[in-house]
C-alpha cells in the first residue's frame, strides 16, 4: 500500500531509504522547535503556545507536501520572519495578537496567490538583485539578533551598539557553542545545528546555566485564534502584511526549486510537476500557524539533506511530520533550552551566514542592480525591519533604471510598488 501511495518503485526508492531520509531531514531542522519559541517569547508570546503552534504548522504543511505533492520537502515556521514578528510588535506598539492577524491575512493572500498564476507573475516581476538582497538582508538581520540575544553585542549610548562582556558566563557559553557548531557544519555533519545545540546544552547544564525540570510530559494545550484581525486594518499594517507575504513567497519558492532540482524533479522545460499542490503546502501552513500562534511557514532548505540521503517521495516528509508530532511530548526540555540564549544564538548566527549565499549572484558591476540590493541589506538590520528594507529596495530599483534609460525593462508591478512605498513612508511612516 505504501509503495503504491508514494510510487516508490517509480521514483527508484524503498521504504528503508525513505525513513532514513526522513530522520535525516528532521534532525537538520528540529532546531526550529527550540529556536522559534525562544525568539517569539521576545514579543511576549507564551512558550507553550509557540511550541505547539510551531509543531502544528510544521505537521500541517509537511503532510500536505507528503500526500498532495509527494515530495520530500519539509515545511515549518521560517527563520527571519519570526525575528521580524518580534520587532513589529515592539515598533508598532501593538499586542502580538495583532501581528498574528497580519500573518493570517498574509496566509490567506498566500493561498489565493498559490491557486492562481499571480504567484508566478509576482516572482517573475521582481528582479534577482532584489530577491537576493532581501534574503541576504534577513540573514544579517537574524545574525544580529543572535549576537544581541547572547550578549556578544550590547547597547551603547555613543555608538548604538558595542561589544559586550566577553567574560560573562552566557557569552562564553555562546562562543563555545558557536565554535563547536561551526566545526560540525564545516565537517558536513548531518544535523550539525541540532548536535551543536545539544552539546552546548550539556555544557550549560554542567556549568549551572541550564536547569532541567524533566524531559517528557503531556503536551501543552494549543491556543486557538489568539489574533486580532480588525486591529491589523485599524492600525494600517499593510506593509507588514506585504513583507510577510513577499518574503515567504520568495523564500519558499526558491527553496522548493533548489531541492526539486537536486532531487531531479524539474522537467526539461523548467516546470515542476504537481507545483500547485506543493505551493499550497507552505501557504496552508502559514495560515494554520497564525491561527494557533506562530510566524509564517516556509519550505526548508534542510530538506536537501534528506534528498542527499536518498529521499525522493512524500514518505520522507511523512516521517518528518511524525517525528515533529513526537517532539511535542518533550516540552519541558525544549522550554528550558529555549530559555537559554547561549544555546539558540549560534543557530541564528550560522543560519544568517547561510542566507548570504545569494550575494554572489548579484551583478555588482552594474550599479543600478547593485545599489538596491545593497540598500536592502544595509537597512534591514539597522532599522530592525524587513519591511523597511524591502521598501527602500523597491523604491530605488525603478528610479535608477529610469535614470540609466532602462525603464522599459522594469515590470509595471515594480512601479506600482514603488509609488505605494513612497506614499506609505511619506504619510504613514510608523507602519
Amino acid at each position: 500500500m505504501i509503495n503504491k501511495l508514494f510510487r516508490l518503485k517509480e521514483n527508484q526508492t524503498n521504504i528503508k531509504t525513505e525513513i532514513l531520509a526522513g530522520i535525516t531531514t528532521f534532525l537538520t531542522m528540529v532546531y526550529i522547535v527550540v529556536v522559534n519559541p525562544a525568539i517569539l517569547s521576545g514579543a511576549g508570546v507564551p512558550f507553550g503556545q509557540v511550541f505547539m503552534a510551531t509543531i502544528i504548522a510544521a505537521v500541517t504543511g509537511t503532510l500536505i507536501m507528503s500526500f498532495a505533492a509527494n515530495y520530500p520537502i519539509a515545511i515549518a515556521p521560517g527563520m527571519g520572519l519570526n525575528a521580524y514578528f518580534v520587532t513589529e510588535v515592539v515598533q508598532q506598539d501593538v499586542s502580538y495578537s495583532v501581528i498574528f492577524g497580519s500573518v493570517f491575512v498574509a496566509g490567506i493572500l498566500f493561498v489565493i496567490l498559490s491557486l492562481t498564476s499571480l504567484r508566478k507573475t509576482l516572482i517573475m516581476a521582481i528582479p534577482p538583485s532584489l530577491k537576493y538582497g532581501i534574503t541576504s538582508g534577513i540573514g544579517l538581520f537574524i545574525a544580529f539578533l543572535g549576537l544581541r540575544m547572547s550578549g556578544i553585542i550590547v547597547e551603547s549610548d555613543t555608538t548604538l551598539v558595542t561589544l559586550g562582556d566577553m567574560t560573562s558566563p552566557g557569552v562564553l557559553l555562546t562562543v563555545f557553542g558557536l565554535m563547536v557548531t561551526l566545526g560540525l557544519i564545516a565537517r558536513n555533519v548531518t544535523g550539525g545545528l541540532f548536535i551543536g545545540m545539544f552539546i552546548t546544552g550539556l555544557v550549560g547544564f554542567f556549568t549551572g546555566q541550564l536547569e532541567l525540570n524533566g524531559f517528557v510530559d503531556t503536551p501543552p494545550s494549543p491556543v486557538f485564534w489568539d489574533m486580532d484581525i480588525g486591529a491589523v486594518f485599524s492600525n494600517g499594517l499593510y506593509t507588514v502584511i506585504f513583507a510577510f507575504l513577499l518574503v515567504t513567497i520568495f523564500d519558499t519558492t526558491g527553496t522548493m526549486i533548489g531541492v526539486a532540482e537536486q532531487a531531479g524533479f524539474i522537467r526539461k522545460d523548467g516546470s515542476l510537476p504537481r507545483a500547485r499542490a506543493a505551493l499550497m503546502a507552505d501557504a496552508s501552513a502559514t495560515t494554520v500557524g497564525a491561527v494557533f500562534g506562530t510566524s509564517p511557514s516556509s519550505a526548508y532548505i534542510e530538506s536537501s539533506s534528506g534528498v542527499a540521503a536518498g529521499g525522493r517521495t512524500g514518505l520522507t516528509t511523512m516521517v518528518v511530520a511524525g517525528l515533529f508530532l513526537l517532539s511535542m511530548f518533550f516540552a519541558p526540555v525544549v522550554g528550558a533550552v529555549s530559555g537559554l540564549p547561549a544555546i539558540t544564538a549560534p543557530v541564528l548566527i550560522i543560519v544568517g551566514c547561510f542566507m548570504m549565499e545569494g550575494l554572489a549572484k548579484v551583478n555588482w558591476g552594474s550599479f543600478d542592480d547593485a545599489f538596491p540590493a545593497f540598500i536592502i541589506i544595509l537597512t534591514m538590520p539597522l532599522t530592525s525591519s524587513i519591511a523597511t528594507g524591502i521598501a527602500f529596495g523597491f523604491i530605488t530599483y525603478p528610479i535608477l533604471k529610469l535614470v540609466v534609460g532602462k525603464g522599459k525593462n522594469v515590470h509595471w508591478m515594480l512601479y506600482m510598488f514603488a509609488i505605494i512605498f513612497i506614499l506609505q513612508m511619506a504619510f504613514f511612516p510608523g507602519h
Side-chain angles (χ1 to χ4, degrees):
M1 180 179 176
I2 291 179
N3 278 283
K4 185 176 180 180
L5 178 62
F6 294 108
R7 301 196 294 275
L8 300 184
K9 289 184 178 178
E10 182 182 324
N11 287 281
Q12 298 179 332
T13 184
N14 56 64
I15 293 176
K16 180 182 177 181
T17 299
E18 294 292 301
I19 291 175
L20 289 175
I23 294 171
T24 300
T25 296
F26 176 76
L27 287 176
T28 59
M29 62 182 290
V30 66
Y31 66 85
I32 194 62
V33 175
V34 179
V35 175
N36 211 39
I39 293 176
L40 292 191
S41 64
V45 190
F47 163 78
Q49 180 176 353
V50 186
F51 176 72
M52 291 301 294
T54 300
I55 293 172
I56 291 170
V59 170
T60 299
T62 303
L63 284 180
I64 292 174
M65 186 68 74
S66 173
F67 292 104
N70 195 29
Y71 284 141
I73 304 172
I75 307 288
M79 292 291 290
L81 287 178
N82 45 14
Y84 174 59
F85 181 100
V86 176
T87 59
E88 285 306 306
V89 170
V90 175
Q91 291 185 358
Q92 303 293 345
D93 194 25
V94 295
S95 70
Y96 60 76
S97 61
V98 177
I99 307 300
F100 278 141
S102 299
V103 176
F104 181 77
V105 174
I108 294 297
L109 293 173
F110 200 3
V111 170
I112 294 172
L113 286 173
S114 298
L115 289 171
T116 67
S117 60
L118 287 174
R119 180 171 179 174
K120 182 179 179 180
T121 302
L122 183 60
I123 292 169
M124 296 298 291
I126 298 173
S129 61
L130 292 184
K131 295 175 185 175
Y132 297 135
I134 290 169
T135 303
S136 301
I138 294 172
L140 279 183
F141 180 60
I142 63 173
F144 184 55
L145 175 67
L147 292 171
R148 284 193 302 160
M149 281 174 53
S150 63
I152 293 176
I153 286 179
V154 295
E155 292 182 17
S156 169
D157 293 333
T158 54
T159 60
L160 296 181
V161 292
T162 188
L163 191 66
D165 181 5
M166 298 300 291
T167 62
S168 67
V171 172
L172 288 173
L173 183 58
T174 302
V175 173
F176 168 79
L178 182 60
M179 291 298 105
V180 168
T181 311
L182 284 173
L184 292 168
I185 298 296
R187 298 281 297 179
N188 295 316
V189 175
T190 299
L193 290 174
F194 177 72
I195 296 171
M197 290 174 63
F198 179 77
I199 294 173
T200 308
L202 279 179
V203 175
F205 177 76
F206 287 114
T207 56
Q209 297 182 58
L210 177 65
E211 294 183 9
L212 296 176
N213 296 311
F215 287 90
V216 181
D217 200 358
T218 305
S221 298
V223 178
F224 185 77
W225 204 266
D226 185 15
M227 55 187 178
D228 188 347
I229 298 176
V232 173
F233 300 101
S234 62
N235 283 277
L237 301 181
Y238 304 109
T239 309
V240 177
I241 295 171
F242 182 73
F244 279 134
L245 178 64
L246 194 67
V247 174
T248 308
I249 286 175
F250 291 154
D251 187 22
T252 197
T253 305
T255 298
M256 211 170 287
I257 291 171
V259 177
E261 284 180 344
Q262 179 191 0
F265 298 141
I266 302 294
R267 291 171 175 161
K268 291 182 179 180
D269 61 358
S271 64
L272 177 66
R274 305 181 300 283
R276 184 163 293 180
L279 296 175
M280 279 298 296
D282 53 347
S284 302
T286 293
T287 308
V288 171
V291 169
F292 287 94
T294 187
S295 47
S297 294
S298 171
Y300 262 60
I301 193 62
E302 284 83 353
S303 302
S304 60
S305 64
V307 170
R312 290 294 181 274
T313 73
L315 179 55
T316 292
T317 35
M318 188 181 80
V319 172
V320 174
L323 291 172
F324 267 114
L325 278 173
L326 188 63
S327 69
M328 70 172 58
F329 294 96
F330 295 88
V333 67
V334 172
V337 169
S338 64
L340 183 60
I343 299 176
T344 53
V347 174
L348 296 176
I349 297 167
I350 294 171
V351 171
C353 174
F354 290 158
M355 297 179 75
M356 303 297 289
E357 182 182 1
L359 284 181
K361 301 175 184 177
V362 175
N363 183 7
W364 295 104
S366 174
F367 186 75
D368 47 306
D369 281 319
F371 185 82
F374 166 75
I375 199 67
I376 292 172
I377 297 164
L378 180 68
T379 52
M380 276 190 186
L382 293 182
T383 62
S384 292
S385 173
I386 290 173
T388 300
I390 291 174
F392 275 111
F394 275 60
I395 291 171
T396 55
Y397 185 87
I399 291 176
L400 287 175
K401 290 297 181 181
L402 282 171
V403 170
V404 299
K406 300 177 183 177
K408 291 183 179 179
N409 298 333
V410 179
H411 197 282
W412 65 265
M413 292 180 74
L414 260 69
Y415 288 114
M416 180 186 73
F417 287 138
I419 293 170
I420 291 172
F421 280 128
I422 290 171
L423 292 174
Q424 183 263 323
M425 297 186 78
F427 298 104
F428 309 98
H431 304 300

